[in-house]
Amino acid sequence: MADLPTHARAVIIGGGVVGCSVAYHLALQGWTDVVVLERKRLTSGTTWHAAGLIGQLRATANMTRLAKYSADLYGGLEADTGLSTGFRRTGSVSVALTGERFSELKRQASMARAFGIEVDVISPAEAKSRYPLLNADGVVGGVWIPSDGKADPANIALALAKGARQRGVKIFEGVKVTAIPTAHGAATAVVTDHGTITTDHVVNCAGLWGREVGLLAGVNVPLQACEHFYVLTGAIPGLARDLPTLRVPDECAYYKEDAGKMMLGFFEPVAKPWAVEAIPEDAEFTTLPDDWDHVMPLIEQASHRLPLFAEHGIATFFNGPESFTPDVRYLLGPAPELSNFHVAAGFNSVGIQSAGGAGRVLAEWMDRGAAPMDLGDVDIRRMQRFQNNKTYLAARVKESLGLLYADHFPHRQNTTARDVRHLPLHERWAARGACFAEVAGWERPGFFREGGAAYDYSWGRPSWFADTAREHMAIRTGAGVIDMSPFGKFRVLGRDAEAVLQRICANDIAVPPGRCVYTQWLNDRGGIEADLTVTRLGPEEFLVVTSGGAVVRDFAWLQRHIPADAHCIAVDVTSGEACLAVMGPHARRLLQQHTPADLSHAAFPFATARTIEFGMATVRAHRLTYVGECGFELYIPADQARHVFDTLMADGAITPVGIHAMDSLRMEKAYRHYGHDISDEDHVLDAGLGFAVRTRKPDGKYGPFIGREAVLARRAQGVTRVLAQFLLADPEPLLFHNEPVLCDGTVIGHLTSGAYGHALGAAVGLGYVPAASLAGRFEIEVEGRLVPATASLRPFYDPESARVRV
């Protein structure tokens, strides 16, 4: 092995397909001073035994774009490097054995067409025609994607490695990383058993070892290896080499022709975590013991579905380790703990089809200092610190693996590794019949039913649809209470706190104490990095409130934008306060019974915060809303939450309301949700949030607010893309997200979110469309059916917001 350099601009840890892809794409960005370190040999972790399926349809538009890029890249790598990747577009057939699964496939097909992928919904007979080996008994229908394919995983990685080397990247095998020292919030070097490399950037592409490599630098990378199985027949004479990939998710199985043999792979509902305590030191091209008992029920199903397995038998049983994450989405991007530590790991058995796109966007992210598109689905900053706990991971990934082929119902809840984070009022909610949903680890009431209930799922109306409707209308017509305690709460303090926040916030937060300001944090492109409120508590103290799922991301953004010389600190106080949102036309009257404070509109106008007495407690009341009704958010010391709750609920006039009703309420008002309707890719003016931007506020101590120039430029050129609200003409269909939007018969966009508008009497959705299209005739495609819809830039419910400001 050649001597290691003493310095590199970037050090990539891990020589699997993902590490090689990052290296290749950094080289394409002109980064030639890049080193890849592989502890054993290239591809020897997971890449070497991957099945090599190249599917393109993913859960969201950008994930689909990245998977499509991977397929296109692999098709052209041979011309670039001279190494064949074995990539062939043989197509894929996915079949449904239940009506609910077929609904899911039809929705996916609609989404695929909106994303530019050719797809056909097919009958059982057509599925049999596309895949003659299929026993179509019980098949309800399916989808056919002709551009999907398969490839040789190891050769893809080696081709990417060669392409990187050709452009100056240095790759070293047999080098183990032993330490990653840090200083001043950044990694400074990578220490190995062959020497130390100082570096400007560290990239963790360590796959199975991703968690351990992260901990060397104090970075949380929540993933855990599981045993992953497939079996192979012997050679089958006459087996067609151009067979499509066949997926039968209802039987947890996929089928692939492999060098004249037939491969059968599994995503079983209960997986087997591997090496929970530690991965063996000598692990390389690891194979694990056969476990026939674990997969035999699935093999028996497969022998019925593809009778050739019963005829030819199984010649090879393979068991190898793959890494999985708590939510079955991979981990990508800058770690929140360090400014120059990047992650691309935890690919949940879709690493081959994801590696090309993930490597490209991470390289661009590192080069530009900002994500090139909305990557919130896989951004590592969505992960909570507790999720790196070994016991938690081992429990969760037993379920994670099987979720890849489970029905992807709306609002589906994990059943493992629950009850880690409880609200101060958890037991109170449970006693009132809460069915809990997990959000960022918090157990939050999803809906309520007397006597309690459990989730059931459907692409139609689940049993709890009526419960959510009741809660929704309670807030529209009376009063309801929503527990918002998991919302992130950051105290920003110091004599420079105002100057720091004026630089970060697009709105003007130089307001008197007791005022609340709705604002966004923007990037240099005018894209939305955060959507939140800032309340001035005192001359040198502010409270930032953001959504529970954005706590890690937003706190990291805040900390990184506090200048080193600023007299300012930020403290995450999320768990220190409970928050109850009491909303509805009767909310003020019911609250007034328990406080001597004057809650009238004249004394307590909208966007105001006051410390008040409530019962025998002292709370801070904020006059804000996320549901479109008059109400107050009560911020309560956690130790007084039960007293306030019991006082509030004593007369039974206030209805407990869960998060699903909160979502349908905000959809009627077209209130944006970060991560769905707005992201760092969406310009604040396109999103219709220009009213919360103050370009004329004076430059502060740290200059103009981030994104100001991009806002001015967009205002000068005009907005051509807008976020519109859509209301279906038919009261029956349901909207969730990603449904195609058609104008005058042509697909022009897709919905970013959707819910049923119980007060409006039909489903509503939000989606970006060309501004010039608003005069056209709109339809939304739902499971292949075109449903007429009305579009509006103003909310369909209370467009003047008169109900909020009374």
Side-chain angles (χ1 to χ4, degrees), residues 681-694:
E681 187 178 355
D682 299 310
H683 196 285
V684 66
L685 299 188
D686 294 358
L689 296 174
F691 66 88
V693 178
R694 296 291 180 270

Side-chain angles (χ1 to χ4, degrees), residues 1 49 59 149 173 195 280 356 371 399 446 526 555 574 577 596 630:
M1 184 193 75
H49 66 73
E173 296 178 289
E399 180 184 17
F555 194 65
T574 299
E577 287 187 321
C630 176

Side-chain angles (χ1 to χ4, degrees), residues 400-479:
S400 294
L401 182 150
L403 291 178
L404 285 163
Y405 273 24
D407 288 279
H408 298 101
F409 287 119
H411 315 298
R412 180 163 186 152
Q413 298 295 310
N414 286 102
T415 59
T416 58
R418 296 288 298 267
D419 288 310
V420 180
R421 306 179 84 183
H422 276 187
L423 306 171
L425 296 170
H426 181 85
E427 288 75 18
R428 294 291 199 273
W429 296 125
R432 289 177 176 268
C435 182
F436 289 97
E438 181 195 13
V439 182
W442 292 100
E443 298 291 335
R444 298 189 64 185
F447 64 91
F448 290 86
R449 184 181 301 167
E450 186 174 350
Y455 273 97
D456 60 276
Y457 305 106
S458 174
W459 290 99
R461 287 163 169 74
S463 68
W464 44 272
F465 183 85
D467 300 296
T468 296
R470 173 182 51 80
E471 297 165 23
H472 182 115
M473 294 309 298
I475 282 185
R476 288 284 182 249
T477 62

